[in-house]
Amino acid sequence: MSNTLAPSGIAVDLGGTKISAARVTRGTVGDIIKVETDSNASTDSQITAICELIKKIGPSPRGGEGIGGTADNIGVAVAGRVSKDGDWYAVNSEILTQIDKVPLRKMLAQRLGQDVTVENDATAAALGEFACGAGNNSNSFAYITVSTGVGGGIILDGRPVVSGSGLAGHIGFTTSRMQGDDCGSGRTNTVESIASGRALSARATKLGHAGLSGKQVYDAHLSGAAWATQLVSDSAAAIAELSTNLKSVLDVDAAVIGGGVGLAEGYVELVEVHLQSEPPLFRPKVHRAALAENSALIGVLVR
Ligand code: ADP
Ligand code: BMX
């Protein structure tokens, strides 16, 4: 697979906190439309939300860049695992409570009247960073999104690591040596239960700071609140540990970090600080995702 593609089409990125959509033209993302994700929405409501955003973006004024130059290519990246048949499942059922064996590719094709690419959001983001981002000059790296959850997309020898069930890449559900919590995946002590935006919020509540979003916890850290700095440091330490494990198992060149928390001020630098406690052999390079919030929007259109 080439890593110098500049894809075009209509892209949607459904995460646990927001759904984004935009027209992409040869690798450049146009105006992004965003709506809040309803974690408890039914399958039909989630599909409707996706299709409404696509319709708002509208057909290309130049007849689209799809196959034969007619309809636009459409790509939909979603949080959750996506099987080779295009069926969609939440792995962390607390993030998307109604999503289980949803025939996503089939339902979207029926609603939109054309084939649609469907992919896990972090795997799509890895493809975006590989095509025209921080992974553009590497054949083996791990994209890590620290966002509502902690997701992963792995490029190995120039190809995405995928599996029939769609579980491959779900590195947020690996466990940490740090003290974690129960996780909506059914596992305990996962990286996701320590590092994600939801984890920052839940751990702040346990410290008596209830009702804060992950962003509000992070902002408290930036404002000098010691309790919040400890939570953010723990998050970065868990991602550093994860990056070291990925280096040890797959010998990835780099960890490319994205997501609302991962892109936040000083976060990547904190991960690098924690990596210093590991032997050099096991330290991958660490990069902030060059495409920032656009990684998955571009990657889901990469062919
Ligand atoms: P999604 O998970 O839907 O893809 P994001 O990548 O924006 O969306 O991640 C959402 C999580 O990141 C939430 O927990 C949110 O509170 C947190 N977050 C969003 N923006 C920031 C920020 N600037 N700094 C720290 N945390 C953030
Ligand atoms: C969770 C899991 C992954 C997803 C990752 C990031 C669900 C619903 N999500 O680990 O599939 O890639 O979160 O998702 O099982 P986001 O919502 O943070 O973008």
Side-chain angles (χ1 to χ4, degrees), residues 108-149:
L108 288 173
Q110 284 171 343
R111 294 274 192 103
L112 299 167
Q114 69 174 80
D115 287 343
V116 176
T117 299
V118 292
E119 182 60 88
N120 165 264
D121 56 353
T123 298
L127 288 166
E129 292 293 327
F130 182 55
C132 39
N136 186 248
N137 55 9
S138 164
N139 268 336
S140 294
F141 68 92
Y143 174 87
I144 303 174
T145 177
V146 188
S147 34
T148 307

Side-chain angles (χ1 to χ4, degrees), residues 76-125:
V76 176
V78 291
R81 66 180 173 92
V82 179
S83 73
K84 67 176 171 36
D85 297 328
D87 292 341
W88 179 28
Y89 307 73
V91 184
N92 185 332
S93 57
E94 290 174 1
I95 294 177
L96 294 176
T97 63
Q98 306 303 314
I99 301 304
D100 187 31
K101 196 166 173 48
V102 174
L104 180 64
R105 182 188 297 146
K106 185 177 170 190
M107 288 180 77
L108 288 173
Q110 284 171 343
R111 294 274 192 103
L112 299 167
Q114 69 174 80
D115 287 343
V116 176
T117 299
V118 292
E119 182 60 88
N120 165 264
D121 56 353
T123 298

Side-chain angles (χ1 to χ4, degrees), residues 1-7 13 24 27 29 77 119-146 151-156 158-160 253-260 262-263 268 285-303:
M1 174 179 282
S2 160
N3 61 346
T4 55
L5 298 173
D13 176 8
V24 179
V29 178
E119 182 60 88
N120 165 264
D121 56 353
T123 298
L127 288 166
E129 292 293 327
F130 182 55
C132 39
N136 186 248
N137 55 9
S138 164
N139 268 336
S140 294
F141 68 92
Y143 174 87
I144 303 174
T145 177
V146 188
I154 297 167
I155 302 290
L156 212 51
R159 304 209 63 80
D253 298 334
V256 175
I257 296 178
L263 293 167
V268 165
K285 298 187 190 77
V286 179
H287 302 302
R288 193 172 184 276
L291 302 176
E293 67 174 344
N294 296 335
S295 304
L297 291 172
I298 291 174
V300 77
L301 294 171
V302 164
R303 284 287 174 279

Side-chain angles (χ1 to χ4, degrees), residues 3-255:
N3 61 346
T4 55
L5 298 173
S8 298
I10 297 176
V12 178
D13 176 8
L14 185 150
T17 296
K18 72 181 188 307
I19 314 174
S20 306
R23 173 172 296 288
V24 179
T25 306
R26 287 183 293 284
T28 300
V29 178
D31 295 341
I32 297 179
I33 305 174
K34 291 180 191 176
V35 294
E36 198 174 314
T37 302
D38 177 351
S39 291
N40 301 309
S42 66
T43 293
D44 199 58
S45 299
Q46 298 289 11
I47 300 285
T48 298
I50 291 169
C51 292
E52 281 177 352
L53 284 172
I54 291 171
K55 288 192 171 64
K56 272 188 187 162
I57 299 290
S60 164
R62 293 181 290 108
E65 311 247 342
I67 300 163
T70 52
D72 284 298
N73 287 327
I74 298 177
V76 176
V78 291
R81 66 180 173 92
V82 179
S83 73
K84 67 176 171 36
D85 297 328
D87 292 341
W88 179 28
Y89 307 73
V91 184
N92 185 332
S93 57
E94 290 174 1
I95 294 177
L96 294 176
T97 63
Q98 306 303 314
I99 301 304
D100 187 31
K101 196 166 173 48
V102 174
L104 180 64
R105 182 188 297 146
K106 185 177 170 190
M107 288 180 77
L108 288 173
Q110 284 171 343
R111 294 274 192 103
L112 299 167
Q114 69 174 80
D115 287 343
V116 176
T117 299
V118 292
E119 182 60 88
N120 165 264
D121 56 353
T123 298
L127 288 166
E129 292 293 327
F130 182 55
C132 39
N136 186 248
N137 55 9
S138 164
N139 268 336
S140 294
F141 68 92
Y143 174 87
I144 303 174
T145 177
V146 188
S147 34
T148 307
V150 171
I154 297 167
I155 302 290
L156 212 51
D157 295 334
R159 304 209 63 80
V161 174
V162 293
S163 61
S165 77
L167 189 59
H170 279 80
I171 55 181
F173 301 119
T174 57
T175 48
S176 167
R177 63 193 166 209
M178 298 169 68
Q179 180 55 50
D181 294 292
D182 290 346
C183 171
S185 66
R187 298 201 78 192
T188 59
N189 241 51
T190 59
V191 170
E192 181 156 306
S193 72
I194 298 166
S196 69
R198 286 183 80 247
L200 291 177
S201 175
R203 301 176 80 126
T205 297
K206 286 187 174 180
L207 294 176
H209 305 280
L212 298 179
S213 69
K215 182 176 188 310
Q216 288 170 316
V217 174
Y218 203 96
D219 289 344
H221 151 62
L222 293 176
S223 302
W227 64 268
T229 294
Q230 184 59 58
L231 294 182
V232 170
S233 177
D234 289 349
S235 168
I239 297 301
E241 178 189 8
L242 173 61
S243 303
T244 305
N245 290 338
L246 288 166
K247 180 69 177 176
S248 178
V249 174
L250 299 171
D251 197 10
V252 292
D253 298 334

